[in-house]
Amino acid sequence: MTRPTPISGFPEWMPPQRMIEQYVLDRIRNTFELYGFAPLETRAVEPLDQLLRKGETSKEVYVLRRLQEAGEGGPGGAAADSADSDALGLHFDLTVPFARFVLENAGKLQFPFRRYQIQKVWRGERPQEGRYREFTQADIDVVDRDTLPFHYEAEMPLVVADALGGLPIPPIRIQVNNRKVCEGFYRGVGISDPEAALRAVDKLDKIGPDRVAQLLMETAGATEAQAKAVLALAEISAGDASFADAVRALGVENPLLDEGLDELVRVVETANEHAPGLLVADLKIARGLDYYTGTVYETQMRGYERFGSICSGGRYDNLASTGAERYPGVGISIGVTRMLGLLFGANALTISRPVPTCVLVAVPTEADRLACDRIARALRQRGIATEVAPAAVKYGKQIRYAERRGIPYVWFPGEPDTVKDIRSGEQMEAEASTWQPPAEDLRPVVKGAS
Amino acid sequence: MTRPTPISGFPEWMPPQRMIEQYVLDRIRNTFELYGFAPLETRAVEPLDQLLRKGETSKEVYVLRRLQEAGEGGPGGAAADSADSDALGLHFDLTVPFARFVLENAGKLQFPFRRYQIQKVWRGERPQEGRYREFTQADIDVVDRDTLPFHYEAEMPLVVADALGGLPIPPIRIQVNNRKVCEGFYRGVGISDPEAALRAVDKLDKIGPDRVAQLLMETAGATEAQAKAVLALAEISAGDASFADAVRALGVENPLLDEGLDELVRVVETANEHAPGLLVADLKIARGLDYYTGTVYETQMRGYERFGSICSGGRYDNLASTGAERYPGVGISIGVTRMLGLLFGANALTISRPVPTCVLVAVPTEADRLACDRIARALRQRGIATEVAPAAVKYGKQIRYAERRGIPYVWFPGEPDTVKDIRSGEQMEAEASTWQPPAEDLRPVVKGAS
């Protein structure tokens, strides 16, 4: 076997980074549960036709086939062809699988159904910084039967603020908009294809206002004056309800616009009561996916704005529906791998040691190994992560092993036992049934860089 | 969209089962860390040629291609053909990816390297009870450079015993054998192809001794007497070191056999010191995979023996090697999905409520919602999972909502606030900044069935 090499877009953290990731995921999960979201995992695969049903993601899907199917389906594995209705693909987000899960199990669920889901997803996009082919997302959604109370749209940012707020990461700012504001405004100024207009505005940060104006005229049938009005709306941004006055000052009248403004004001005011400065109404936020129908969210991390949103979502009314049944929902998704990839890339997160181990029990001779195991067991039973040294070599070598591993304490069996903090050199008598390390040494501690 | 249906082999637990799974995974992970194993996740995909390098799993691999590659590779997606050296497949276990990770990152790791890995794996096998196409495994491995001390082979069962021992599941029994015992014994009786003999013995539980004897003669070149001796060895089983006497009584002499017996005695005695009754030397245990070279493990759960092993592994000397470098290792893998699938199928695990939520804050009128949010926030800040009622309907309806969700407490804002245990009907005055539920109600509790 030759030395293997990484696969572009499929990141693998080393154990210290993975320990930080677990710390972050635990914090997120704990917050989700404090808000009463129940855990769910859906399978990694969905029927290919389901995956291609919505949005502009068809090029990103990984299609699966079993290796032996190549024989069944002829050379080249025709069995996995997209024409095959049984073909399976890896999910590219957690919203589409969740909508499918709700439809499939509606009879067994209590509505409104609150669930969180923390899983890997896959997209065959071109990899770049902060953009991967395999990555972890942490989603919450609330769905209800027939109608979904609006107040859940105001709840989503609060959960994210609590989940990320306690972490040693740069401050986040959640940008919100409301599809009703955009669509109502576009209709109010007389644009006939609001969806095309939205798709053009979605490119604003990427291509700038001039080319968006051009796109609006080319694809959404806008006049120059209409394009100008659309861009004026997109410029409005405020951390309080004053954005609504700025919109009304543009002089466009439309009932859907009024409804959207009322909702957006409520989202902003709820957030300001809970976490001032967290949220900003930013009317250029469009979100590419077609299925959003109300509030939409994006999130920037201070200092990393150029890499795009680390947490996005919105309200969807028509994603989960089958004939007469409708399950409107709202959700938000933390891009954990993107967020951590950016922070790791900037060395902005550290951990106090690269192993869980707090104590290494030194082994005087191999004949003492069972006795050393007993010491380790006594420490573990009280929650102290402990290893026994690999070999009964000279103590100096065993201490250097602990140093290399980043283990802070070495335990020496004897009469009495002693334990040494190998960072300070301090050594003291100790009993495995009672000794306790300082609280900050019990588990590895995650810190920000500065 | 028509109502979707499940995909055979891809299980999806409902939230209560998922909560139980998380409880089990947390327990396993915590135990792994107490033993100083550091966390690792490898990507879900490996180069197809790596996946097909060892073992008899070629038929089980899921091959991936990006949907747009169909165009590039010609009709039928030839780009994903197994002849393509860039083709990727989903990993079918966590050992092969781990061996690859060690080779790839050897320069950055401290040896012996202890890691745990809890991830999904995929196999395109025919689904049946306890056997899935997508399932979660929880692995620990220790690898070292050049040589690996034997004592790690004795450590593996102890970690599993601690991880599963505290769970409300039936008792487990770990069956161990040692490849050196089998190979030495087979060589000692004069069988020329010990690997073929091992593969035949591996089928003992499935096809019975007569057909194994036949296989031994047909595939391993054994005489009738040799086949009889092989079966006599496979019959030996004991919870203590007496198995070694039973083997020696068969009168076969071989140095590899002696070495294997010494090691196996040490594994059994270490386990008996730590957890009497946990482990049995069972000389029919063969493990199908070719890469094992020392101790091998399988695990049965009482009452579920017929479904096979829920936790397996062994020592491997040659899995991770590149030219001059060798990284021998030993590992064991808990089949979490199989174990839970069997227990869920028998209704042998329950949870005290189907949601994390401990308290539902009732909403008197929609104008009070912000005040209700404040109560919820105060409770959450002290670790009490809290939801706010979906709508300001009559209190009776809000209480019935809590009942349906399985939420034990309803909080009524007022002067003063009151909180009601809706199971007992008991209601008392309470303050959101101080009230504490009984410890057993704070989080859902997982219990065995009986």
Side-chain angles (χ1 to χ4, degrees), chain B residues 173 237-243 268-269 271-272 276-282:
Chain B
R173 205 180 55 162
S237 171
D240 56 31
S242 68
F243 75 89
V268 171
E269 287 183 339
N272 278 343
L278 165 72
L279 199 134
V280 60
D282 199 334

Short mmCIF file of all heavy atoms in Angstrom, two decimals, chain B residues 173 237-243 268-269 271-272 276-282:
data_model
loop_
_atom_site.label_atom_id
_atom_site.label_comp_id
_atom_site.label_asym_id
_atom_site.label_seq_id
_atom_site.Cartn_x
_atom_site.Cartn_y
_atom_site.Cartn_z
N ARG B 173 -21.88 -11.36 27.00
CA ARG B 173 -20.77 -12.28 27.20
C ARG B 173 -19.84 -12.15 26.01
O ARG B 173 -20.28 -12.28 24.86
CB ARG B 173 -21.29 -13.71 27.31
CG ARG B 173 -20.34 -14.61 28.10
CD ARG B 173 -20.87 -16.01 28.19
NE ARG B 173 -21.15 -16.54 26.86
CZ ARG B 173 -21.30 -17.83 26.60
NH1 ARG B 173 -21.24 -18.72 27.56
NH2 ARG B 173 -21.54 -18.24 25.36
N SER B 237 -14.58 -24.65 25.21
CA SER B 237 -15.10 -23.37 25.69
C SER B 237 -15.03 -23.35 27.20
O SER B 237 -15.46 -24.32 27.86
CB SER B 237 -16.55 -23.22 25.20
OG SER B 237 -17.15 -22.10 25.79
N ALA B 238 -14.49 -22.28 27.79
CA ALA B 238 -14.42 -22.20 29.24
C ALA B 238 -14.26 -20.76 29.67
O ALA B 238 -13.66 -19.95 28.96
CB ALA B 238 -13.24 -23.02 29.77
N GLY B 239 -14.80 -20.43 30.84
CA GLY B 239 -14.73 -19.09 31.37
C GLY B 239 -13.44 -18.83 32.14
O GLY B 239 -13.23 -17.73 32.64
N ASP B 240 -12.57 -19.82 32.24
CA ASP B 240 -11.31 -19.62 32.93
C ASP B 240 -10.18 -20.30 32.15
O ASP B 240 -10.40 -20.83 31.06
CB ASP B 240 -11.37 -20.13 34.37
CG ASP B 240 -11.76 -21.60 34.41
OD1 ASP B 240 -11.43 -22.35 33.44
OD2 ASP B 240 -12.42 -22.01 35.38
N ALA B 241 -8.99 -20.33 32.75
CA ALA B 241 -7.82 -20.82 32.03
C ALA B 241 -7.86 -22.33 31.75
O ALA B 241 -6.97 -22.85 31.07
CB ALA B 241 -6.56 -20.47 32.82
N SER B 242 -8.87 -23.02 32.25
CA SER B 242 -8.93 -24.48 32.06
C SER B 242 -9.02 -24.87 30.58
O SER B 242 -8.70 -26.01 30.21
CB SER B 242 -10.13 -25.06 32.82
OG SER B 242 -11.34 -24.63 32.22
N PHE B 243 -9.46 -23.93 29.73
CA PHE B 243 -9.54 -24.26 28.30
C PHE B 243 -8.18 -24.70 27.77
O PHE B 243 -8.09 -25.53 26.86
CB PHE B 243 -10.07 -23.08 27.49
CG PHE B 243 -9.06 -21.99 27.32
CD1 PHE B 243 -8.18 -22.00 26.22
CD2 PHE B 243 -8.94 -20.97 28.24
CE1 PHE B 243 -7.24 -21.00 26.08
CE2 PHE B 243 -7.99 -19.98 28.11
CZ PHE B 243 -7.14 -20.00 27.03
N VAL B 268 -8.12 -13.94 29.34
CA VAL B 268 -9.19 -14.47 30.19
C VAL B 268 -8.95 -14.07 31.64
O VAL B 268 -9.87 -13.63 32.35
CB VAL B 268 -9.27 -16.01 30.05
CG1 VAL B 268 -10.21 -16.60 31.10
CG2 VAL B 268 -9.74 -16.38 28.65
N GLU B 269 -7.70 -14.17 32.10
CA GLU B 269 -7.44 -13.88 33.52
C GLU B 269 -7.56 -12.39 33.82
O GLU B 269 -8.03 -12.01 34.90
CB GLU B 269 -6.07 -14.44 33.91
CG GLU B 269 -6.12 -15.96 34.00
CD GLU B 269 -4.81 -16.59 34.47
OE1 GLU B 269 -3.76 -15.93 34.34
OE2 GLU B 269 -4.86 -17.75 34.95
N ALA B 271 -9.58 -10.36 32.35
CA ALA B 271 -11.02 -10.07 32.38
C ALA B 271 -11.65 -10.58 33.67
O ALA B 271 -12.52 -9.93 34.25
CB ALA B 271 -11.71 -10.69 31.17
N ASN B 272 -11.23 -11.75 34.13
CA ASN B 272 -11.82 -12.30 35.34
C ASN B 272 -11.49 -11.47 36.56
O ASN B 272 -12.28 -11.40 37.51
CB ASN B 272 -11.36 -13.76 35.54
CG ASN B 272 -12.22 -14.70 34.69
OD1 ASN B 272 -13.31 -14.33 34.23
ND2 ASN B 272 -11.73 -15.90 34.46
N PRO B 276 -15.74 -10.58 36.58
CA PRO B 276 -15.93 -12.03 36.52
C PRO B 276 -17.20 -12.40 35.75
O PRO B 276 -18.23 -11.76 35.90
CB PRO B 276 -16.06 -12.43 38.00
CG PRO B 276 -15.42 -11.31 38.76
CD PRO B 276 -15.65 -10.08 37.95
N GLY B 277 -17.10 -13.42 34.90
CA GLY B 277 -18.26 -13.89 34.15
C GLY B 277 -18.44 -13.18 32.82
O GLY B 277 -19.28 -13.56 32.01
N LEU B 278 -17.66 -12.13 32.59
CA LEU B 278 -17.82 -11.35 31.36
C LEU B 278 -17.36 -12.13 30.13
O LEU B 278 -17.97 -12.07 29.07
CB LEU B 278 -16.96 -10.08 31.48
CG LEU B 278 -16.69 -9.31 30.19
CD1 LEU B 278 -17.96 -8.60 29.73
CD2 LEU B 278 -15.57 -8.28 30.38
N LEU B 279 -16.28 -12.89 30.30
CA LEU B 279 -15.56 -13.36 29.13
C LEU B 279 -15.46 -14.87 29.13
O LEU B 279 -15.34 -15.50 30.19
CB LEU B 279 -14.15 -12.75 29.20
CG LEU B 279 -13.35 -12.71 27.93
CD1 LEU B 279 -12.74 -11.33 27.78
CD2 LEU B 279 -12.26 -13.74 28.01
N VAL B 280 -15.55 -15.45 27.96
CA VAL B 280 -15.36 -16.89 27.83
C VAL B 280 -14.43 -17.16 26.65
O VAL B 280 -14.58 -16.55 25.60
CB VAL B 280 -16.73 -17.61 27.69
CG1 VAL B 280 -17.47 -17.12 26.46
CG2 VAL B 280 -16.56 -19.11 27.63
N ALA B 281 -13.44 -18.03 26.88
CA ALA B 281 -12.61 -18.48 25.76
C ALA B 281 -13.42 -19.50 24.98
O ALA B 281 -13.85 -20.51 25.54
CB ALA B 281 -11.31 -19.10 26.28
N ASP B 282 -13.65 -19.22 23.72
CA ASP B 282 -14.55 -20.05 22.92
C ASP B 282 -13.81 -20.31 21.61
O ASP B 282 -13.73 -19.45 20.74
CB ASP B 282 -15.86 -19.28 22.70
CG ASP B 282 -16.99 -20.21 22.30
OD1 ASP B 282 -16.70 -21.28 21.73
OD2 ASP B 282 -18.16 -19.84 22.55
#
